Structures are given as structure tokens and as C-alpha cells.
Amino acid sequence: MSGQKKVMTDLERVLGFTLTDLELEVDKTEAAELAQAALQLQRFTAPEPTKASAQRLLQAVRRYVPENAPPRFRQTMQQAGVPKAGFSLSLLTLIRPQISLLGRPFWAATVLLLLLATWLVLLPNNTGQLPLLMFAPLTGALGIVYAFRSTDERVLELEAASAMTWQQLVLARMILIIGMNVAVLSAVTLISALLLPGFPIGLLMLSWLAPLLLWASIALNVSLRFGHWAGMVTSFAAWGLQIIVRLTLPQWDLFSLPGSIGEIALRLALVILALATLALAVRSADNQRDLVSHHLNRS
Amino acid sequence: MLTDEELCRQLQSGSEVALESLVHRYHGPIHGYIYRQVNDESTTDDLVQETFIRLCTRMGQYNYPQPFKPWLYRIALNLCRDYWKSAYFRQAQQSEELSSQQVDDNPSVESIYNWQETRQEVMAAINCLDEIYRDVLILRFYQDLKVSEIADVLEIPIGTAKWRLFQALKLMKDQLTTGGEAYVWTKESDD
């Protein structure tokens, strides 16, 4: 190896990168001086800590070792507390902790669905209803799977041992997911209205809100009573039924834009019916907890 | 042997054994690093302790498998910066200036060994450097961090870290008296 090359190699080894990275041209003399300066740096020695000082350090730091902190979900559930007995909105306090369960895949899937739905809406010769018709029950079904995932992940027994019933937990998650679906579809509707001038935004919203809430609330009640597979089947059956109705009896298609006062009234009534069904599910879950409490108190 | 990152994960679960291992691995390097930044043993001990306390209290912010070493050095560097900003540091600096004037009047200073003189020269030269150059210099030449790790600690692009490192060495070369002593490897290079 030539002297020039050796000096450069040594300097580059000391620096930890090649000089060509910086597009620098350094002559042999300067490179030697730089490397020599680097060697001189070694003169600045630092005292080595003793074993005793390491022990003192450990003693001082040990009490700051993090305790085995419970997961965020458990912490927020503890903060939420147990819903009060009787039919009350206190059950809704359980919803907030469920948000911490929503991981990145959930948000990613939501964004993907939103983008897909927006793209479908923007397709030419499309009124924007069909994509909504397709996605509403699909997201509902996925929501049911998500809400009941504890059974698949074999942690249901943990939930069963908690102060609130699994019905309450499922309900809280389902309400969260239905709320999420409503938010996503509202966004899609808004985009549709903005991109398609003259579109009746209120009527369009009613056209998907009524069937979505109705089928979701029915599916939720079925899920709570008969399990999540029954809930999913109900959700898809409602979807299939809706498609059949759309093809054979379009005047009864709930996803169509309401044209008359009667049709608007019908959809509003369906929304109210869906909310009542949801309330029924809330009450059912609440009663279930009271039964468990009563049983525990007696025993 | 467990990696630093795996030890960190265990520490997150409250393992004292993991803490002991990390202290065993990093007490010396962090002590040396902080000492070269603050040049005071007593302050170094305090800051080293504070570094490891922060390591424990901020364990919740560590995301496995994020590299541990740059993260730890960043904690230490931030503590040094806090120290420099502190009133205590400014006070200490003033009293040091005063005492150095007194020492200069003392003829016994001339009796110190050559290596000590050189050490003081290097130390003074490093202290004269701008903070941005001093940081890269210490991390590279004393802590033996890779350029990518230095960039991570200082939260700067790798290219910037390389450039600062080269400039820092040039500045050191200008400040240090390099004559008088020929290094073995230099002789070999000329062969």
C-alpha cells in the first residue's frame, strides 16, 4: 500500500467514514496532520468510575425501576370504573377505554375503506349510493368480529372475571364502532355532496343512516343473545336482503334517496327504532350485570 | 448475551437485573462522556446518576427495537445541556476563571508532567470548540460511536454529522500543537 493511501485509510478509519462521502480532497500532509490530531485527542483521559461508585449508583437508581405497569387499556378501564346499577348512561363511560384497544390495523383499514368509498363515489355515472350500500354491512360485520375478538384470543375468561359483563364490554365496543362507521360514512357523504353539486346531503345521509343503524342494532342484539357468529350472519343476511329488495322491489329499497314525505318519515322512524333497539341492548347488558352482582352478593 | 434493546424491554417490565446489566455496560462510557463534557468529577457523578434515573423514569417512552445506545447518550447530552444552562454552571465557571488566574501566579504549575500539559491542552482545545463540533468529536473519538449513531444522538442527518466531524478535527488540528512528537503509525505510513 502506498504511503498516501495508507494515510488516507488511517484517517478514514479514525473518522468512521470515507472522505469521498463529503466529496473532499485532502492531501497527504493534511491527512497526516488530521490523523495525528485525532491521536492527540487520546491524551484527554477521563477517570474510570470505581466499583463502589457503580454500587452507589445502582442503589440510588434502583428505586426508579418502573413497576410492572398494567397495560394502558387496563389503566383506563380502572379509571372508568364500574357502571352504576340500573339503566343509565354511565355504561357509556366504558366506551372511552375501548378506544385504546383500537390499534393501527383498525385505523389503517378505516382509512382504506374511506379512500375506496371515495374513489367509488367519484366513478362516472354513479350516484354514490351503491358503494355506501356495499360497505355499510361489511363494516358492521367486521365490527362484530372486532368486538368479540376476546373469544378468539382466548381472553374472554379474563373479561368474564371483570366487574362488568362481557355484554357491556361488547356493547361499548360496538357503539364505538358504529359511531366510527357513522363518522366515516358522513365524511364520504360530505365529499359526495361537495363533488356533486345539487346533491341533497340531508336526504343522502338519511338514505344510509336509517338502514345502517337499523341493521347494526339488530345485529348487535342478536350478537349479545346468540353470539358473534349469529350477529355476523344477521349482518350479511340483512345486506343480501337489501340487495334483493333493491333489485326486485326498488320502491322499498331503504338505501334509495327518499323522494316523498312518507319515505322521509319512514326512514326517520327507522332511525328512532334503531336507537330504541340499541337502548334495549344497553338495558339488556346492564340487567345482565345486575344479575351477576346479585348472584355474587348472594353467594 | 442479551442485547441492550432486549434488556431495555425487560427493564420496562420492572427487571432490576436488566438495570444492573445496563449500568454495568454503560456506567463507564457515560461517566467518561459526561466528564469530558463538564470537566468536573463531582458534577459528573451527579449527572451520571441523573442519566440513569431518567433512563428508568422514561422507560415508558422507549419503543423496542429502537437502538438503545443513541437514546441513552441523548439523555446524557440533554442533561449536560441543562447543566450548562444552569446558574450553578455559570457560577462554577466564574470561580474557575478566578482560581485559574490564581494558579497562573503559582510557579509550581510548571512542574506538572508533559503528558498532563498535553492533556490540558487537548482539554482546553475541546472546550474552545463550538458545542456542535465538541459533541460530535467526543461521541466519535471517546465514545467510539458510529457516525450513524452520532447522527441519531444529535438528531441531525448523517451527512451533517460527517461534515461536523471533519470540521471538528480540522479545528482541533489548528488548535493543538502537533509538532515535536512523531507517531508510530505516521512513520509506517511514510514507508
Side-chain angles (χ1 to χ4, degrees), chain A residues 3 21 36 39 41 45 62, chain B residues 16 119 142 162 181 185 189:
Chain A
D21 290 353
Q36 201 163 4
L39 274 183
L41 287 173
T45 53
R62 198 168 271 141
Chain B
E16 286 192 17
R119 182 179 181 276
Y142 297 107
K162 287 177 180 173
E181 191 174 358
W185 70 269
S189 309

Side-chain angles (χ1 to χ4, degrees), chain A residues 4-186:
Chain A
Q4 168 93 15
K5 201 170 176 183
K6 178 75 168 64
V7 171
M8 290 299 174
T9 309
D10 282 344
L11 177 61
E12 287 176 347
R13 182 177 48 78
V14 165
L15 285 169
F17 60 90
T18 56
L19 291 170
T20 49
D21 290 353
L22 295 176
E23 296 178 358
L24 284 169
E25 284 189 14
V26 180
D27 63 31
K28 183 185 170 185
T29 313
E30 191 183 8
E33 286 172 358
L34 286 170
Q36 201 163 4
L39 274 183
Q40 272 193 290
L41 287 173
Q42 291 172 7
R43 292 296 181 99
F44 183 14
T45 53
E48 283 290 320
T50 61
K51 280 186 180 176
S53 70
Q55 282 306 317
R56 279 198 302 275
L57 174 67
L58 265 174
Q59 273 182 348
V61 175
R62 198 168 271 141
R63 62 196 161 109
Y64 294 95
V65 169
E67 289 174 18
N68 200 352
R72 198 155 55 98
F73 172 64
R74 209 185 305 162
Q75 284 177 350
T76 49
M77 283 295 282
Q78 281 167 356
Q79 284 165 7
V82 180
K84 289 172 191 163
F87 179 69
S88 72
L89 288 177
S90 64
L91 184 62
L92 299 180
T93 56
L94 283 181
I95 293 176
R96 197 176 58 83
Q98 313 307 316
I99 295 172
S100 63
L101 285 180
L102 302 179
R104 283 181 192 160
F106 179 84
W107 295 112
T110 304
V111 170
L112 194 69
L113 278 175
L114 181 62
L115 292 175
L116 194 60
T118 310
W119 176 70
L120 285 168
V121 167
L122 295 177
L123 283 178
N125 303 323
N126 195 320
T127 60
Q129 294 166 315
L130 189 60
L132 299 176
L133 174 69
M134 289 167 66
F135 281 116
L138 188 63
T139 49
L142 290 174
I144 291 170
V145 173
Y146 184 81
F148 279 87
R149 66 180 180 166
S150 58
T151 53
D152 296 327
E153 292 177 4
R154 300 180 183 187
V155 291
L156 183 60
E157 66 277 11
L158 295 178
E159 291 186 354
S162 70
M164 56 288 292
T165 63
W166 66 268
Q167 287 93 340
Q168 286 178 314
L169 290 169
V170 165
L171 189 67
R173 287 170 197 175
M174 280 303 293
I175 289 175
L176 179 69
I177 290 164
I178 291 171
M180 182 66 201
N181 286 337
V182 169
V184 169
L185 289 170
S186 299

